[in-house]
Amino acid sequence: MIILLAILVLVVVVLLASTLTVGTRRRLRRKRAGRAELTRPPSPPPPAPPSTEVGPAAPPEARPDAPPSTEVGPAAPPEARPDAFEPTPQEVPPSLLPAEGQPPSFRERLGKARGLFGQYVGSIRSRGGIDQASWDDLEEVLIKADVGVSTTASLLEDLRDQVQTQHMNDPDALVDALKERLIEIVGGSERSLNFEPGIPNVWLFVGVNGVGKTTTIGKVARRQVALGRSVVLAAGDTFRAAAADQLGRWADRVGADLVRGSEGGDPGSVVFDAVQRAASHHADLVLADTAGRLHTKVNLMKELEKIRRVADRPPGKVTEVLLVVDATTGQNGMMQARQFTDAAQVTGVVLTKLDGTARGGIVVAIQRELGVPVKLVGLGEGADDLVEFSPEDFVDAIFS
Ligand code: GDP
């Protein structure tokens, strides 16, 4: 009996002990689980639908197939994995590209020229009347601005006559008379670009290397495409592969077609092919680049004549020969302009880089000495930085 009682007590003790152990373990597990819940990062939001916008790539997100971290502590920064997802940049067709901006104004871009004129005009105005120093100042600023010696001389002579006959002694009146004379000299020309509907018009771009020919062709192409015309670019400068590549980038950018030949190939045949392409695709316009340098000036001019002959054969017709001149080269640019106008039947001048020079007076020299209208002006490197030349806006900008 005593033995039986002892066994019973033992069984009860063992049962009690095992129940206590299981409870403690459960409590401990629950406690641990609670702590782990607090340290776990919040669950990621549901995946967003794929974006159609082109923008900066988002930082890489945790991959669902990443191995679970066994480390305790702050999460390590995600490492680049060789198989990590890389968003592919989306191609936007050039025709759908947004406008790159509004054309700039003369006032905005002619700060350097205005700085030069402003300084002298200030000193002329500060005097009580018109004296020899006023004339000296005027002469100096016109020469510095690259108006040219002969144009400056004739301008001053006319102004002196006017001052004398009108008994003028007000410096402001002298400045106003100068502005009027400048507008007279550069004004009055037909500046629109010639275009004949129904045939492939060829616009040839001539000028020495580096003046901004290729950039100007790109800008002109952009304007013409925006007008609804279809444009073929002809990479006629076959002496520099880089020139054709550069033109190709413009063609892609503005939505024009490109015809290029082999390096060192015949520029005439490139222009011929471009005209044929334009005719077969009913394109309106061929904008032809030409070489800016050959071994001799004679060769260059002969080459230009040849290109012109080829381009002028039906179905094509040369309706513009645009001489591109860099405004920052001053009187050197004038010399080049004389050579090209003698040889290439230039119909208009595009004056580039007017934004980067105080010597805006070259506009006056070109118009007066060459008798060729400045049709377009480059006011920056951007696709929209090409504007029609306006004598009033130009004079207003340098004197404002
Ligand atoms: P090309 O050798 O005559 O074809 O000359 P490019 O078109 O390659 O131009 C030469 C440089 O002049 C490039 O850096 C152009 O961005 C720059 N350029 C062209 N036009 C202008 C302009 O109107 N203003 C300024 N600031 N730079 C220009």
Coordinates of all heavy atoms in Angstrom, one line a residue, residues 207-216 219 237 240 243 246 250 289 324 351-356 377-381 385, ligand 1:
G207 N 31.1 77.6 -97.0 CA 31.9 78.3 -96.0 C 33.0 77.5 -95.5 O 33.0 76.2 -95.7
V208 N 34.0 78.1 -94.8 CA 35.1 77.3 -94.4 C 34.8 76.5 -93.2 O 33.8 76.7 -92.5 CB 36.4 78.3 -94.1 CG1 36.8 79.1 -95.3 CG2 36.0 79.2 -92.9
N209 N 35.7 75.5 -92.9 CA 35.5 74.6 -91.7 C 35.4 75.4 -90.4 O 36.1 76.4 -90.2 CB 36.6 73.7 -91.6 CG 36.5 72.5 -92.6 OD1 35.5 72.4 -93.2 ND2 37.6 71.8 -92.8
G210 N 34.5 74.9 -89.6 CA 34.4 75.5 -88.2 C 33.5 76.7 -88.0 O 33.3 77.1 -86.9
V211 N 33.0 77.2 -89.1 CA 32.1 78.4 -89.0 C 30.8 78.1 -88.4 O 30.0 79.0 -88.0 CB 32.0 79.1 -90.4 CG1 33.3 79.8 -90.8 CG2 31.5 78.2 -91.4
G212 N 30.4 76.8 -88.5 CA 29.1 76.4 -88.0 C 28.1 75.9 -89.1 O 26.9 76.0 -88.9
K213 N 28.7 75.4 -90.2 CA 27.9 75.0 -91.3 C 26.9 73.8 -91.0 O 25.7 73.9 -91.2 CB 28.8 74.5 -92.5 CG 28.8 75.5 -93.6 CD 29.6 75.0 -94.8 CE 30.6 74.1 -94.6 NZ 31.8 73.9 -94.7
T214 N 27.5 72.8 -90.4 CA 26.7 71.6 -90.1 C 25.6 71.9 -89.0 O 24.5 71.5 -89.2 CB 27.7 70.5 -89.5 OG1 28.8 70.4 -90.3 CG2 27.0 69.1 -89.5
T215 N 26.0 72.7 -88.0 CA 25.0 73.1 -87.0 C 23.9 73.9 -87.7 O 22.7 73.7 -87.4 CB 25.7 73.9 -85.9 OG1 26.9 73.2 -85.5 CG2 24.8 74.2 -84.8
T216 N 24.3 74.8 -88.6 CA 23.3 75.6 -89.2 C 22.3 74.7 -90.1 O 21.1 74.9 -90.1 CB 23.9 76.7 -90.1 OG1 24.8 77.5 -89.3 CG2 22.9 77.5 -90.8
K219 N 19.9 73.2 -87.8 CA 18.9 74.1 -87.3 C 17.9 74.5 -88.4 O 16.7 74.6 -88.2 CB 19.6 75.4 -86.9 CG 20.4 75.3 -85.6 CD 21.2 76.6 -85.5 CE 22.0 76.7 -84.2 NZ 22.8 78.0 -84.1
D237 N 30.4 67.0 -97.5 CA 31.7 67.2 -97.0 C 32.3 65.8 -96.8 O 32.4 65.3 -95.7 CB 31.8 68.0 -95.7 CG 33.2 68.2 -95.3 OD1 34.2 67.7 -95.9 OD2 33.4 69.0 -94.3
R240 N 35.7 64.8 -94.5 CA 35.8 64.5 -93.0 C 34.6 63.6 -92.6 O 33.4 63.9 -92.8 CB 35.6 65.8 -92.2 CG 36.7 66.8 -92.4 CD 36.5 68.0 -91.4 NE 35.2 68.6 -91.6 CZ 34.5 69.0 -90.6 NH1 34.9 68.8 -89.3 NH2 33.3 69.6 -90.8
A243 N 32.2 64.9 -90.2 CA 31.1 65.8 -90.6 C 29.9 65.1 -91.0 O 28.7 65.5 -90.7 CB 31.6 66.6 -91.8
Q246 N 28.2 63.8 -87.8 CA 27.5 64.9 -87.2 C 26.2 65.3 -87.8 O 25.2 65.5 -87.2 CB 28.5 66.2 -87.2 CG 28.1 67.3 -86.3 CD 29.1 68.5 -86.5 OE1 30.1 68.3 -87.1 NE2 28.7 69.6 -86.0
W250 N 22.1 65.0 -86.5 CA 21.1 66.1 -86.7 C 19.9 65.5 -87.5 O 18.7 65.8 -87.1 CB 21.7 67.3 -87.5 CG 22.3 68.3 -86.7 CD1 23.7 68.5 -86.5 CD2 21.7 69.2 -85.8 NE1 23.9 69.5 -85.7 CE2 22.7 70.0 -85.2 CE3 20.4 69.5 -85.5 CZ2 22.5 71.0 -84.3 CZ3 20.1 70.5 -84.5 CH2 21.2 71.3 -84.0
D289 N 25.5 69.9 -97.4 CA 26.8 70.4 -96.8 C 27.9 70.3 -97.9 O 27.8 69.4 -98.8 CB 27.1 69.4 -95.6 CG 28.2 70.0 -94.7 OD1 28.5 71.2 -94.9 OD2 28.6 69.3 -93.8
V324 N 27.9 80.5 -95.0 CA 27.9 80.6 -93.5 C 29.2 81.3 -93.1 O 30.3 80.9 -93.5 CB 27.8 79.2 -92.9 CG1 27.8 79.2 -91.4 CG2 26.6 78.4 -93.5
L351 N 24.9 84.3 -90.6 CA 26.0 84.8 -89.7 C 25.9 84.1 -88.3 O 24.9 84.3 -87.6 CB 25.8 86.3 -89.5 CG 27.0 87.1 -88.9 CD1 28.3 86.9 -89.8 CD2 26.7 88.5 -88.8
T352 N 26.8 83.2 -88.1 CA 26.7 82.4 -86.8 C 27.5 83.0 -85.7 O 28.3 83.9 -85.9 CB 27.4 81.0 -87.1 OG1 28.7 81.2 -87.5 CG2 26.6 80.2 -88.1
K353 N 27.2 82.5 -84.5 CA 28.0 82.9 -83.3 C 27.9 84.4 -82.9 O 28.8 84.9 -82.3 CB 29.4 82.4 -83.3 CG 29.6 81.0 -83.8 CD 31.0 80.5 -83.8 CE 31.1 79.2 -84.6 NZ 32.4 78.6 -84.6
L354 N 26.8 85.0 -83.4 CA 26.7 86.4 -83.0 C 26.5 86.6 -81.5 O 26.7 87.7 -81.0 CB 25.5 87.0 -83.8 CG 25.5 88.5 -84.1 CD1 26.7 88.9 -84.9 CD2 24.3 88.9 -85.0
D355 N 26.1 85.5 -80.9 CA 25.9 85.6 -79.4 C 27.2 85.7 -78.7 O 27.3 86.1 -77.5 CB 25.1 84.3 -78.9 CG 25.8 83.0 -79.4 OD1 26.1 82.9 -80.6 OD2 26.1 82.2 -78.6
G356 N 28.3 85.3 -79.4 CA 29.6 85.1 -78.6 C 30.5 86.3 -78.9 O 31.7 86.1 -78.7
V377 N 20.6 84.4 -88.6 CA 21.7 84.7 -87.7 C 21.7 83.6 -86.6 O 20.6 83.2 -86.1 CB 21.4 86.0 -87.0 CG1 22.3 86.3 -85.8 CG2 21.6 87.2 -88.0
G378 N 22.8 83.1 -86.3 CA 23.0 82.1 -85.2 C 23.2 82.7 -83.9 O 24.1 83.6 -83.8
L379 N 22.3 82.4 -82.9 CA 22.4 83.1 -81.6 C 22.7 82.1 -80.5 O 22.4 82.3 -79.4 CB 21.1 83.8 -81.3 CG 20.8 85.0 -82.2 CD1 19.5 85.7 -81.8 CD2 21.9 86.1 -82.2
G380 N 23.3 81.0 -80.9 CA 23.6 80.0 -79.8 C 23.8 78.6 -80.5 O 23.6 78.4 -81.7
E381 N 24.1 77.6 -79.6 CA 24.4 76.3 -80.2 C 23.2 75.4 -80.2 O 23.2 74.3 -80.8 CB 25.5 75.6 -79.3 CG 26.8 76.3 -79.4 CD 27.9 75.6 -78.7 OE1 28.5 74.6 -79.2 OE2 28.2 76.0 -77.5
D385 N 18.3 78.0 -81.9 CA 19.1 79.2 -81.8 C 19.4 79.8 -83.1 O 20.6 80.2 -83.4 CB 20.3 79.1 -80.9 CG 20.0 78.7 -79.5 OD1 18.9 79.1 -79.1 OD2 20.8 78.2 -78.8
Ligands
GDP1 P1 31.4 73.4 -89.5 O1 32.8 72.8 -89.4 O2 31.3 74.6 -90.3 O3 30.4 72.4 -89.9 O4 31.0 73.8 -88.0 P2 30.1 73.1 -86.9 O5 28.7 73.1 -87.3 O6 30.7 71.8 -86.5 O7 30.3 74.2 -85.7 C1 31.5 74.5 -85.1 C2 31.2 74.9 -83.6 O8 30.5 76.1 -83.6 C3 30.3 73.9 -82.8 O9 30.8 73.8 -81.5 C4 29.0 74.6 -82.8 O10 28.2 74.2 -81.7 C5 29.3 76.0 -82.8 N1 28.3 76.9 -83.3 C6 27.6 76.9 -84.4 N2 26.7 77.9 -84.6 C7 26.8 78.6 -83.4 C8 26.1 79.8 -82.9 O11 25.3 80.4 -83.6 N3 26.5 80.2 -81.7 C9 27.5 79.6 -80.9 N4 27.7 80.1 -79.7 N5 28.1 78.5 -81.4 C10 27.8 78.0 -82.6

